[in-house]
Amino acid sequence: MRLVLLGPPGAGKGTQAQALAALWGIPQIASGDLLRAAVREDSELGREAAGYMECGHLVPDELVLKLIAERLQKKDARGGFILDGFPRNVMQAERLAVGLERVGLKLDKVVAVMLPDEEVVKRISGRRTCEDCAAMYHVVFEPPAKAGVCDKCGGELYQRADDAEETVRERIKVYEAATRPLLDHYGRLGLLAKVDGVGRTDEVEKRILAALDGLAIPSQAGAGVGLARS
Ligand code: ADP
Ligand code: ADP
Ligand code: ZN
């Protein structure tokens, strides 16, 4: 299965990607997680990306493409992957398609998780993220057993700096301008399925699985993917 999860910030992409990754035994590849790891490591790429992330803008394509390409080359992604937060604009989508095509692969499906803006703000304002394993919680909707501590790994939960309300509004604007056009893009390619993101996590997961229909089987091993400019 080679799947892209699209949707506004806070729609539940990460939550669903983690559930599906566990179900299928293929990796979740989240561009936001990769970027935050680069920032934490204080790598050159991380230092370049940090300012964009802080104000809710997209990080330049070349930086994100580099991280994603490196991640897709890893062995565990050969049997399939779930992309979460990437691609974020048409340029990234085109580079991904070309990179896959070069090794004889293509996406199986793009699922857009739809959520109204008011819900987006509610979900993001209560989001807590594990420092160690990037698992997601919500102070009201998905609280951990012990406040501030990850159920899965015991790591500390923190609130992302870009989850402050003002930055969230900016991220929604960026989604509308840069990312929403991907719905038409993938619609034209016949790859898109829209799924209602309102409701419990398990209900949304069922809708995604229904939208994938007969597709929900991890694909066979393939070659590594490169996203270098041609
Ligand atoms: P959310 O899960 O709330 O949508 P992410 O964790 O995916 O947020 O992204 C956090 C930030 O990282 C974004 O606001 C943006 O600055 C940067 N980012 C993540 N993915 C991409 C991408 N594919 N292209 C450019 N910037 C990205
Ligand atoms: P995204 O990756 O799209 O930004 P997340 O998966 O991080 O979204 O979810 C945002 C917040 O909403 C998190 O705090 C998460 O625990 C919570 N959440 C996710 N799915 C649901 C749901 N179906 N119902 C209620 N809260 C949810
Ligand atoms: Zn954890």
Side-chain angles (χ1 to χ4, degrees):
M1 171 62 66
R2 294 182 178 83
L3 177 69
V4 167
L5 288 184
L6 276 185
K13 301 180 297 294
T15 301
Q16 295 300 329
Q18 287 175 5
L20 295 171
L23 184 68
W24 295 330
I26 57 176
Q28 168 210 20
I29 299 182
S31 47
D33 288 346
L34 296 173
L35 285 164
R36 280 184 289 279
V39 171
R40 227 175 296 130
E41 282 160 21
D42 198 29
S43 68
E44 198 183 321
L45 192 154
R47 282 195 295 274
E48 256 186 88
Y52 299 95
M53 296 170 75
E54 269 158 35
C55 56
H57 293 155
L58 292 186
V59 170
D61 292 334
E62 291 309 321
L63 299 183
V64 178
L65 284 159
K66 183 168 185 287
L67 280 180
I68 291 284
E70 277 169 13
R71 184 62 190 86
L72 285 175
Q73 303 273 0
K74 293 202 173 146
K75 222 174 165 181
D76 68 340
R78 293 195 176 175
F81 49 75
I82 301 165
L83 284 169
D84 156 17
F86 176 91
R88 266 307 213 271
N89 59 31
V90 173
M91 161 67 113
Q92 293 179 6
E94 282 171 349
R95 289 282 289 279
L96 174 65
V98 170
L100 288 171
E101 211 173 296
R102 246 188 227 131
V103 289
L105 298 176
K106 58 181 184 53
L107 292 175
D108 294 307
K109 201 82 182 172
V110 176
V111 171
V113 182
M114 310 303 286
L115 199 73
D117 287 0
E118 323 85 78
E119 289 300 317
V120 160
V121 175
K122 269 191 236 166
R123 286 201 187 171
I124 293 193
S125 59
R127 170 159 61 188
R128 297 294 181 273
T129 308
C130 175
E131 218 167 51
D132 296 331
C133 78
M136 254 90 55
Y137 297 87
H138 190 285
V139 290
V140 179
F141 306 137
E142 311 274 347
K146 184 165 180 255
V149 181
C150 178
D151 291 346
K152 297 185 177 96
C153 79
E156 201 175 314
L157 304 184
Y158 74 106
Q159 181 166 28
R160 281 168 44 182
D162 65 340
D163 278 352
E165 184 161 341
E166 207 163 296
T167 318
V168 172
R169 302 261 173 223
E170 187 60 31
R171 282 159 60 204
I172 293 172
K173 278 191 214 155
V174 169
Y175 169 78
E176 292 298 335
T179 311
R180 193 187 273 279
L182 282 180
L183 299 186
D184 282 340
H185 176 83
Y186 283 124
R188 279 194 295 274
L189 294 173
L191 284 172
L192 184 73
K194 279 192 197 174
V195 163
D196 182 9
V198 178
R200 284 197 325 266
T201 300
D202 60 314
E203 292 169 340
V204 178
E205 185 183 348
K206 275 202 200 107
R207 286 178 208 141
I208 296 177
L209 291 174
L212 294 171
D213 212 1
L215 276 175
I217 306 148
S219 6
Q220 294 304 303
V225 181
L227 300 183
R229 247 200 280 248
S230 42

